[in-house]
Amino acid sequence: MPIVSVSLNNDMLAEMDILQKALGFSGRSEIVRAGIRQLAAEEKDRQNLVGFINALLMVVHNEESEKQVTDMKHDYDDLIQTHLHSKIHGDRCLEVFLLKGEAEGVKRMTKEFQSNKKMDHVKLISM
């Protein structure tokens, strides 16, 4: 198997070690492979979305990113049926978007949030 070097900060490394113990992974490489498989499966599911859909997009971010979230949100006003914002812990925020519209727009919105490094967690659920 080829070896790939990855840079992680201390917090991510600590999370990785906790996951390894909690989930019974044999090592850090196995955790990385599992994460990549999960991300690839989610992307495949998202790419298979077509037509007019309903979806739920959940985003977790740091409070400092609030302006970026608001700016991105305004780009997708035509899709957003409902938007909920909630403080979940300290300076952490949860955004929940109920979306309705063409799959291509939902995919673009999701990709924009996922590719933003200031977003900690992004999850799309299509209905």
Side-chain angles (χ1 to χ4, degrees), residues 16-40:
M16 183 180 275
D17 290 340
I18 291 168
L19 285 171
Q20 181 179 348
K21 290 175 185 161
L23 300 176
F25 285 102
S26 62
R28 291 175 173 167
S29 293
E30 198 55 42
I31 294 170
V32 171
R33 286 190 285 272
I36 291 170
R37 283 191 299 270
Q38 182 176 350
L39 190 59

mmCIF file of all heavy atoms in Angstrom, residues 16-40:
data_model
loop_
_atom_site.group_PDB
_atom_site.id
_atom_site.type_symbol
_atom_site.label_atom_id
_atom_site.label_comp_id
_atom_site.label_asym_id
_atom_site.label_seq_id
_atom_site.Cartn_x
_atom_site.Cartn_y
_atom_site.Cartn_z
ATOM 1 N N MET A 16 -8.326 11.468 16.984
ATOM 2 C CA MET A 16 -8.029 10.220 16.275
ATOM 3 C C MET A 16 -7.710 9.104 17.270
ATOM 4 O O MET A 16 -8.184 7.975 17.132
ATOM 5 C CB MET A 16 -6.862 10.435 15.312
ATOM 6 C CG MET A 16 -6.524 9.213 14.490
ATOM 7 S SD MET A 16 -5.148 9.519 13.382
ATOM 8 C CE MET A 16 -6.021 10.232 12.008
ATOM 9 N N ASP A 17 -6.912 9.422 18.278
ATOM 10 C CA ASP A 17 -6.558 8.411 19.278
ATOM 11 C C ASP A 17 -7.778 7.961 20.085
ATOM 12 O O ASP A 17 -7.926 6.777 20.395
ATOM 13 C CB ASP A 17 -5.465 8.952 20.207
ATOM 14 C CG ASP A 17 -4.118 9.103 19.494
ATOM 15 O OD1 ASP A 17 -3.922 8.464 18.428
ATOM 16 O OD2 ASP A 17 -3.282 9.873 19.987
ATOM 17 N N ILE A 18 -8.676 8.899 20.388
ATOM 18 C CA ILE A 18 -9.913 8.549 21.099
ATOM 19 C C ILE A 18 -10.768 7.634 20.232
ATOM 20 O O ILE A 18 -11.307 6.625 20.708
ATOM 21 C CB ILE A 18 -10.685 9.834 21.505
ATOM 22 C CG1 ILE A 18 -9.918 10.576 22.595
ATOM 23 C CG2 ILE A 18 -12.104 9.504 21.945
ATOM 24 C CD1 ILE A 18 -10.426 11.992 22.863
ATOM 25 N N LEU A 19 -10.903 7.973 18.939
ATOM 26 C CA LEU A 19 -11.678 7.136 18.025
ATOM 27 C C LEU A 19 -11.084 5.739 17.899
ATOM 28 O O LEU A 19 -11.808 4.745 17.850
ATOM 29 C CB LEU A 19 -11.749 7.786 16.635
ATOM 30 C CG LEU A 19 -12.677 8.970 16.491
ATOM 31 C CD1 LEU A 19 -12.476 9.633 15.137
ATOM 32 C CD2 LEU A 19 -14.121 8.550 16.680
ATOM 33 N N GLN A 20 -9.775 5.684 17.827
ATOM 34 C CA GLN A 20 -9.111 4.383 17.692
ATOM 35 C C GLN A 20 -9.489 3.476 18.857
ATOM 36 O O GLN A 20 -9.855 2.316 18.655
ATOM 37 C CB GLN A 20 -7.594 4.565 17.628
ATOM 38 C CG GLN A 20 -6.857 3.249 17.461
ATOM 39 C CD GLN A 20 -5.348 3.431 17.367
ATOM 40 O OE1 GLN A 20 -4.860 4.544 17.206
ATOM 41 N NE2 GLN A 20 -4.627 2.347 17.461
ATOM 42 N N LYS A 21 -9.432 4.003 20.061
ATOM 43 C CA LYS A 21 -9.765 3.204 21.235
ATOM 44 C C LYS A 21 -11.258 2.897 21.314
ATOM 45 O O LYS A 21 -11.668 1.768 21.565
ATOM 46 C CB LYS A 21 -9.305 3.913 22.504
ATOM 47 C CG LYS A 21 -7.800 3.944 22.642
ATOM 48 C CD LYS A 21 -7.358 4.746 23.838
ATOM 49 C CE LYS A 21 -5.847 4.830 23.847
ATOM 50 N NZ LYS A 21 -5.335 5.904 24.666
ATOM 51 N N ALA A 22 -12.086 3.910 21.086
ATOM 52 C CA ALA A 22 -13.538 3.753 21.236
ATOM 53 C C ALA A 22 -14.131 2.825 20.187
ATOM 54 O O ALA A 22 -15.062 2.066 20.478
ATOM 55 C CB ALA A 22 -14.218 5.121 21.171
ATOM 56 N N LEU A 23 -13.624 2.891 18.964
ATOM 57 C CA LEU A 23 -14.211 2.115 17.868
ATOM 58 C C LEU A 23 -13.424 0.853 17.533
ATOM 59 O O LEU A 23 -13.832 0.100 16.653
ATOM 60 C CB LEU A 23 -14.364 3.002 16.625
ATOM 61 C CG LEU A 23 -15.265 4.234 16.825
ATOM 62 C CD1 LEU A 23 -15.263 5.098 15.571
ATOM 63 C CD2 LEU A 23 -16.676 3.821 17.195
ATOM 64 N N GLY A 24 -12.306 0.656 18.193
ATOM 65 C CA GLY A 24 -11.543 -0.575 18.003
ATOM 66 C C GLY A 24 -10.730 -0.648 16.717
ATOM 67 O O GLY A 24 -10.465 -1.742 16.217
ATOM 68 N N PHE A 25 -10.341 0.481 16.185
ATOM 69 C CA PHE A 25 -9.489 0.465 14.998
ATOM 70 C C PHE A 25 -8.108 -0.048 15.362
ATOM 71 O O PHE A 25 -7.619 0.195 16.465
ATOM 72 C CB PHE A 25 -9.363 1.873 14.394
ATOM 73 C CG PHE A 25 -10.584 2.325 13.645
ATOM 74 C CD1 PHE A 25 -11.478 3.212 14.220
ATOM 75 C CD2 PHE A 25 -10.835 1.874 12.358
ATOM 76 C CE1 PHE A 25 -12.606 3.641 13.530
ATOM 77 C CE2 PHE A 25 -11.955 2.290 11.658
ATOM 78 C CZ PHE A 25 -12.841 3.177 12.253
ATOM 79 N N SER A 26 -7.478 -0.732 14.421
ATOM 80 C CA SER A 26 -6.156 -1.305 14.683
ATOM 81 C C SER A 26 -5.054 -0.256 14.672
ATOM 82 O O SER A 26 -3.979 -0.492 15.202
ATOM 83 C CB SER A 26 -5.844 -2.402 13.665
ATOM 84 O OG SER A 26 -5.812 -1.849 12.359
ATOM 85 N N GLY A 27 -5.305 0.890 14.064
ATOM 86 C CA GLY A 27 -4.303 1.951 14.030
ATOM 87 C C GLY A 27 -4.856 3.200 13.390
ATOM 88 O O GLY A 27 -5.991 3.237 12.908
ATOM 89 N N ARG A 28 -4.042 4.225 13.368
ATOM 90 C CA ARG A 28 -4.468 5.510 12.813
ATOM 91 C C ARG A 28 -4.762 5.425 11.320
ATOM 92 O O ARG A 28 -5.681 6.069 10.827
ATOM 93 C CB ARG A 28 -3.407 6.566 13.085
ATOM 94 C CG ARG A 28 -3.295 6.934 14.549
ATOM 95 C CD ARG A 28 -2.148 7.875 14.769
ATOM 96 N NE ARG A 28 -2.132 8.364 16.153
ATOM 97 C CZ ARG A 28 -1.105 8.997 16.685
ATOM 98 N NH1 ARG A 28 -0.031 9.245 15.955
ATOM 99 N NH2 ARG A 28 -1.157 9.399 17.923
ATOM 100 N N SER A 29 -3.974 4.640 10.607
ATOM 101 C CA SER A 29 -4.193 4.514 9.163
ATOM 102 C C SER A 29 -5.575 3.952 8.865
ATOM 103 O O SER A 29 -6.241 4.363 7.909
ATOM 104 C CB SER A 29 -3.124 3.625 8.526
ATOM 105 O OG SER A 29 -1.871 4.251 8.583
ATOM 106 N N GLU A 30 -6.014 3.012 9.690
ATOM 107 C CA GLU A 30 -7.337 2.411 9.493
ATOM 108 C C GLU A 30 -8.440 3.439 9.697
ATOM 109 O O GLU A 30 -9.441 3.436 8.986
ATOM 110 C CB GLU A 30 -7.512 1.225 10.447
ATOM 111 C CG GLU A 30 -8.617 0.297 10.064
ATOM 112 C CD GLU A 30 -8.514 -0.254 8.646
ATOM 113 O OE1 GLU A 30 -7.415 -0.623 8.201
ATOM 114 O OE2 GLU A 30 -9.562 -0.293 7.975
ATOM 115 N N ILE A 31 -8.250 4.346 10.635
ATOM 116 C CA ILE A 31 -9.226 5.420 10.864
ATOM 117 C C ILE A 31 -9.290 6.329 9.640
ATOM 118 O O ILE A 31 -10.375 6.693 9.183
ATOM 119 C CB ILE A 31 -8.857 6.240 12.114
ATOM 120 C CG1 ILE A 31 -8.978 5.369 13.364
ATOM 121 C CG2 ILE A 31 -9.736 7.484 12.238
ATOM 122 C CD1 ILE A 31 -8.402 6.008 14.606
ATOM 123 N N VAL A 32 -8.134 6.691 9.098
ATOM 124 C CA VAL A 32 -8.097 7.555 7.916
ATOM 125 C C VAL A 32 -8.779 6.868 6.745
ATOM 126 O O VAL A 32 -9.587 7.474 6.035
ATOM 127 C CB VAL A 32 -6.645 7.944 7.572
ATOM 128 C CG1 VAL A 32 -6.573 8.662 6.230
ATOM 129 C CG2 VAL A 32 -6.047 8.811 8.677
ATOM 130 N N ARG A 33 -8.504 5.583 6.525
ATOM 131 C CA ARG A 33 -9.147 4.848 5.429
ATOM 132 C C ARG A 33 -10.671 4.808 5.610
ATOM 133 O O ARG A 33 -11.430 5.000 4.661
ATOM 134 C CB ARG A 33 -8.568 3.441 5.317
ATOM 135 C CG ARG A 33 -7.170 3.403 4.715
ATOM 136 C CD ARG A 33 -6.731 1.996 4.385
ATOM 137 N NE ARG A 33 -6.363 1.230 5.566
ATOM 138 C CZ ARG A 33 -5.136 1.207 6.098
ATOM 139 N NH1 ARG A 33 -4.165 1.912 5.559
ATOM 140 N NH2 ARG A 33 -4.893 0.473 7.151
ATOM 141 N N ALA A 34 -11.130 4.575 6.841
ATOM 142 C CA ALA A 34 -12.574 4.535 7.110
ATOM 143 C C ALA A 34 -13.206 5.904 6.847
ATOM 144 O O ALA A 34 -14.294 5.987 6.275
ATOM 145 C CB ALA A 34 -12.828 4.098 8.554
ATOM 146 N N GLY A 35 -12.529 6.958 7.249
ATOM 147 C CA GLY A 35 -13.046 8.304 7.007
ATOM 148 C C GLY A 35 -13.151 8.615 5.522
ATOM 149 O O GLY A 35 -14.142 9.203 5.066
ATOM 150 N N ILE A 36 -12.156 8.203 4.768
ATOM 151 C CA ILE A 36 -12.181 8.429 3.318
ATOM 152 C C ILE A 36 -13.294 7.621 2.672
ATOM 153 O O ILE A 36 -14.010 8.125 1.798
ATOM 154 C CB ILE A 36 -10.803 8.114 2.697
ATOM 155 C CG1 ILE A 36 -9.788 9.162 3.161
ATOM 156 C CG2 ILE A 36 -10.888 8.066 1.172
ATOM 157 C CD1 ILE A 36 -8.358 8.837 2.819
ATOM 158 N N ARG A 37 -13.464 6.377 3.095
ATOM 159 C CA ARG A 37 -14.564 5.560 2.550
ATOM 160 C C ARG A 37 -15.907 6.200 2.832
ATOM 161 O O ARG A 37 -16.784 6.255 1.961
ATOM 162 C CB ARG A 37 -14.510 4.141 3.133
ATOM 163 C CG ARG A 37 -13.448 3.243 2.538
ATOM 164 C CD ARG A 37 -13.627 1.791 2.962
ATOM 165 N NE ARG A 37 -13.525 1.593 4.394
ATOM 166 C CZ ARG A 37 -12.392 1.335 5.052
ATOM 167 N NH1 ARG A 37 -11.251 1.252 4.398
ATOM 168 N NH2 ARG A 37 -12.410 1.149 6.353
ATOM 169 N N GLN A 38 -16.091 6.703 4.050
ATOM 170 C CA GLN A 38 -17.368 7.331 4.410
ATOM 171 C C GLN A 38 -17.595 8.593 3.593
ATOM 172 O O GLN A 38 -18.696 8.816 3.077
ATOM 173 C CB GLN A 38 -17.403 7.661 5.894
ATOM 174 C CG GLN A 38 -18.718 8.278 6.326
ATOM 175 C CD GLN A 38 -18.791 8.524 7.816
ATOM 176 O OE1 GLN A 38 -17.948 8.089 8.580
ATOM 177 N NE2 GLN A 38 -19.810 9.237 8.238
ATOM 178 N N LEU A 39 -16.585 9.421 3.453
ATOM 179 C CA LEU A 39 -16.710 10.653 2.672
ATOM 180 C C LEU A 39 -16.990 10.342 1.207
ATOM 181 O O LEU A 39 -17.825 10.993 0.571
ATOM 182 C CB LEU A 39 -15.436 11.493 2.810
ATOM 183 C CG LEU A 39 -15.478 12.904 2.268
ATOM 184 C CD1 LEU A 39 -16.578 13.725 2.934
ATOM 185 C CD2 LEU A 39 -14.127 13.579 2.472
ATOM 186 N N ALA A 40 -16.340 9.318 0.660
ATOM 187 C CA ALA A 40 -16.569 8.924 -0.736
ATOM 188 C C ALA A 40 -18.001 8.419 -0.931
ATOM 189 O O ALA A 40 -18.652 8.735 -1.936
ATOM 190 C CB ALA A 40 -15.565 7.854 -1.158
#
